[in-house]
Amino acid sequence: MNIKISRMTTTDLNILEGILIEKFDEFWSYNTLKEELSCTNSYYIVAKEGSNIVGFAGIKIILDEANLMNIVTKKDKRNFGIASLLLENLINKSMEIGANTITLEVDENNAPAMHLYEKYDFKKVGLRKKYYNGINNAVIMTKKLK
């Protein structure tokens, strides 16, 4: 699998619009991504296999912290290391811009995602009760960069 990571463009976003919920997940809408893409302290990337988008991810910079907003891999392309490539790229970008930490929230029931973050030395630092849909708790995880 030959995956290339690049900065998300408006063209990429328009391609995602038609397939976002069916091929990825329902957590992020087209309008939410469009707002994030236009935000000056957000940085979004896509993973492409040829011309096909197989994943995307983004961070938002708040002072000296990068907040990992999402990492999403196309449903039929999961478990091929795409999320790891996206995460590595965002960790490197966060260090490049001088962030001290990267913080994220992850559903406490999403064991594969928590395992991924732990593999990259993210530590559990807190819990947000009923964060997801008023039902599932979110585990707050952070990684020190400096």
Side-chain angles (χ1 to χ4, degrees):
M1 186 177 294
N2 187 15
I3 304 295
K4 298 219 184 298
I5 307 290
S6 60
R7 185 120 189 220
M8 185 185 282
T9 66
T10 306
T11 302
D12 295 327
L13 182 61
N14 291 335
I15 291 167
L16 284 170
E17 181 178 20
I19 62 171
L20 194 57
I21 292 172
E22 177 190 343
K23 301 288 184 188
F24 290 91
D25 278 313
E26 56 190 78
F27 300 120
W28 284 75
S29 71
Y30 169 81
N31 288 333
T32 301
L33 278 172
K34 186 176 180 180
E35 286 176 27
E36 285 294 315
L37 206 55
S38 67
C39 181
T40 55
N41 36 325
S42 291
Y43 179 80
Y44 275 76
I45 56 177
V46 291
K48 291 182 181 177
E49 183 178 31
S51 61
N52 295 319
I53 297 172
V54 294
F56 64 90
I59 53 175
K60 183 171 284 200
I61 307 304
I62 303 163
L63 302 173
D64 62 350
E65 180 180 298
N67 190 354
L68 183 65
M69 303 302 286
N70 59 18
I71 293 183
V72 184
T73 304
K74 197 172 179 184
K75 291 175 185 176
D76 66 354
K77 296 291 183 178
R78 293 183 179 163
N79 299 311
F80 290 104
I82 296 166
S84 292
L85 290 173
L86 290 164
L87 183 56
E88 288 169 12
N89 186 286
L90 291 179
I91 289 169
N92 290 336
K93 182 65 177 180
S94 298
M95 290 190 302
E96 181 185 306
I97 61 170
N100 292 323
T101 59
I102 301 179
T103 302
L104 59 92
E105 294 92 15
V106 60
D107 189 316
E108 67 183 349
N109 298 314
N110 190 343
M114 290 210 309
H115 177 71
L116 171 68
Y117 300 132
E118 287 169 343
K119 184 171 96 174
Y120 285 90
D121 297 320
F122 282 80
K123 306 293 183 217
K124 296 175 186 175
V125 295
L127 193 69
R128 294 192 202 283
K129 299 276 186 180
K130 299 183 180 182
Y131 184 76
Y132 293 103
N133 301 320
I135 300 168
N136 293 348
N137 297 329
V139 175
I140 303 166
M141 301 182 80
T142 193
K143 174 181 175 67
K144 293 188 184 307
L145 300 174
K146 292 182 178 179

